[in-house]
Each structure stands twice: as structure tokens, then as C-alpha cells.
Amino acid sequence: MWQNVSFEKGYEILFEYKYDDDIFCIKCRLNQAKFDGGIVYACRESERLSLGTLKKDEFALNLEKSYPVSFLRSQGIEPEALTHFAIQSQSGDELTSSPLKSTDPAIERAEKILESMSSSPSPDAAEAHINLVHKSAQALSKEKLPFLTEFTWHRVDDIKQTFSLSAIEHIVFTPAFMQSFVRSGCWLLGTGDEKNVFAMCIATDSSFPNPMQNALDCCSTFATENALYCVIGIGLYDDGQYFCRL
């Protein structure tokens, strides 16, 4: 659920943020010319992390960003421990939000467990997920790879696009995968003749940690002149989602 953040009186600022176990999102909009190019920070007491730069559109200054929660944590910022947000202009002027309301992490975890227990899985869930992935893939641009040519490869540019599959989220939302994603700018989804079996592929560097570190036993690597590719398979079945080696 989006949470509203208030700032000093006299400034019309619309600021919202939300996060779950995987993704942290913010939306900021204000109409103050001197903050054009200003930086938005997430803060924990004196520690702060830049979340991006305000850009001007036809009507106001805007910033809308999403980050893996693992990225914030790798920078020493725990979302549940945020104390406030700040906006700093290029000249050094700064706006500070009101203190954020803190929630007991134990209560949050309990609420999530209750939510997960409130609905039982549908026997048609696997088929629904399979159809959703194929439908979503058709809207993506295609790429050609010199290996595993039995798959049609679709380019995924948005780190938030996980096709609503927990197996993909388990791979994508890790610092190792993010490091390779920042380098390559995308990852690739493979679809083939076996409707319920998909492939995940990402270009990486041999000096980087394996981006598929949460499924190393199912990871295959393919070297080309320009990059090292890591690939895993994901099978969707009535009793769950499984990694597999291709």
C-alpha cells in the first residue's frame, strides 16, 4: 500500500512510497523551479541514499523510481528503518519530510503470513501462470542468441517484470543478478515448444558473481566473444515452480 509523506508547509509536494519483500517504489512531484535537477534521498537518521534526480515535464518536477529492496540493503538502508526523506536542490537548498511512522517488523511479517493463508491455491493456477507468461512475452521485443536455439528469446528491460512468478523473483531480486542487470541492461526470457518450461538468461562478466546464485545447480553458462551468458530453466507444474538445467 502506498504511504503518503508530508513535507514543510508552503511547498506543494506529492510524495508516496511503498515496499514489499522485493521492491521499493517512490513517487515524487512538486512545482518548485529551484529544485529542477534536485536529488531525492531516502534517509535513516544521518545516513542517506540517492533515489534519483527530479526531471521537469510539462507541468511539474517528477521522479518515479523502483529499486530492489536488496539494493537498498546493500547500501546500508533498511526500508523498515527509514526515518525520513529529503530533497536537495543543485544549489544546496534542502527540504526534509516529516518523520516516518515506524511499524513493528514482527507485526508486518505476521500480517503477510495471514494474507498468504487467506486464499488457497486454485487447481488451475499453473495453467493460468503459463498462459500469462506466454501472453506477456508476446509484447516484448525478440533477440537472437547463438545457443539454445530451440527457444524464442524475449528481451526484458524492466527489473520489476517477473511475470508474477516467485521463481523468477527468487533469481532477479539479488545483488548478484542486479550487478549483471546493470551491466547488460536487460535479461532474456526463453519460450519453447514445451509450454510449461521457460528459460532465464542474462549476460554477465566472468569477474562478476554468478547472477543465478540462488539456483547454481541448475545454471548453464555459454561464452561468446562479447559476454558470458548464464541460463537456467523454470518449469511450471500443478504442484509448484521448479528450477531445471537446460
Side-chain angles (χ1 to χ4, degrees):
M1 178 183 297
W2 287 99
Q3 300 183 52
N4 292 316
V5 178
S6 59
F7 279 76
E8 303 170 19
K9 293 182 178 180
Y11 288 92
E12 292 185 12
I13 302 176
L14 296 176
F15 198 110
E16 298 178 300
Y17 78 105
K18 69 176 181 178
Y19 65 91
D20 54 25
D21 290 338
D22 303 309
I23 291 290
F24 180 91
C25 308
I26 65 159
K27 294 179 183 178
C28 179
R29 182 178 179 85
L30 72 156
N31 197 4
Q32 292 290 328
K34 69 177 181 178
F35 284 95
D36 189 6
I39 299 175
V40 176
Y41 293 96
C43 308
R44 180 179 180 273
E45 303 298 349
S46 60
E47 299 177 10
R48 54 172 55 189
L49 173 66
S50 171
L51 297 177
T53 304
L54 288 163
K55 301 294 184 182
K56 188 175 183 180
D57 63 16
E58 186 178 357
F59 302 104
L61 301 175
N62 288 286
L63 176 67
E64 186 171 343
K65 286 281 189 178
S66 298
Y67 294 95
V69 167
S70 58
F71 168 70
L72 273 71
R73 288 176 175 154
S74 71
Q75 303 302 307
I77 299 292
E78 292 284 345
E80 58 270 20
L82 288 175
T83 56
H84 63 285
F85 291 92
I87 304 173
Q88 187 177 68
S89 72
Q90 296 187 70
S91 62
D93 292 331
E94 186 163 304
L95 297 173
T96 302
S97 77
S98 301
L100 303 179
K101 295 179 180 179
S102 59
T103 303
D104 187 336
I107 295 177
E108 289 186 341
R109 286 195 296 271
E111 289 176 344
K112 289 177 180 177
I113 292 172
L114 286 173
E115 288 175 1
S116 67
M117 294 172 62
S118 63
S119 59
S120 57
S122 164
D124 299 324
E127 186 68 22
H129 277 106
I130 291 167
N131 291 335
L132 174 63
V133 175
H134 281 280
K135 182 178 179 180
S136 301
Q138 295 309 308
L140 302 174
S141 59
K142 294 180 180 179
E143 300 265 340
K144 286 191 175 182
L145 294 178
F147 51 83
L148 295 176
T149 54
E150 66 270 27
F151 285 94
T152 299
W153 296 100
H154 309 267
R155 181 185 177 95
V156 183
D157 297 309
D158 188 348
I159 195 67
K160 294 183 295 181
Q161 173 58 280
T162 62
F163 304 93
S164 298
L165 295 181
S166 58
I168 292 180
E169 294 173 359
H170 189 64
I171 296 296
V172 167
F173 299 138
T174 63
F177 191 94
M178 271 301 301
Q179 185 176 5
S180 294
F181 183 83
V182 169
R183 176 189 184 278
S184 61
C186 72
W187 62 271
L188 302 171
L189 175 78
T191 57
D193 292 336
E194 290 187 66
K195 190 179 177 183
N196 66 315
V197 176
F198 303 93
M200 280 189 72
C201 174
I202 190 167
T204 187
D205 187 276
S206 58
S207 63
F208 288 1
N210 192 309
M212 307 296 189
Q213 61 181 215
N214 281 351
L216 286 177
D217 56 333
C218 297
C219 179
S220 300
T221 57
F222 301 87
T224 68
E225 291 184 5
N226 301 317
L228 176 68
Y229 289 85
C230 293
V231 182
I232 61 167
I234 297 175
L236 304 187
Y237 301 92
D238 290 339
D239 61 343
Q241 304 171 27
Y242 298 92
F243 295 118
C244 58
R245 183 180 290 272
L246 300 172

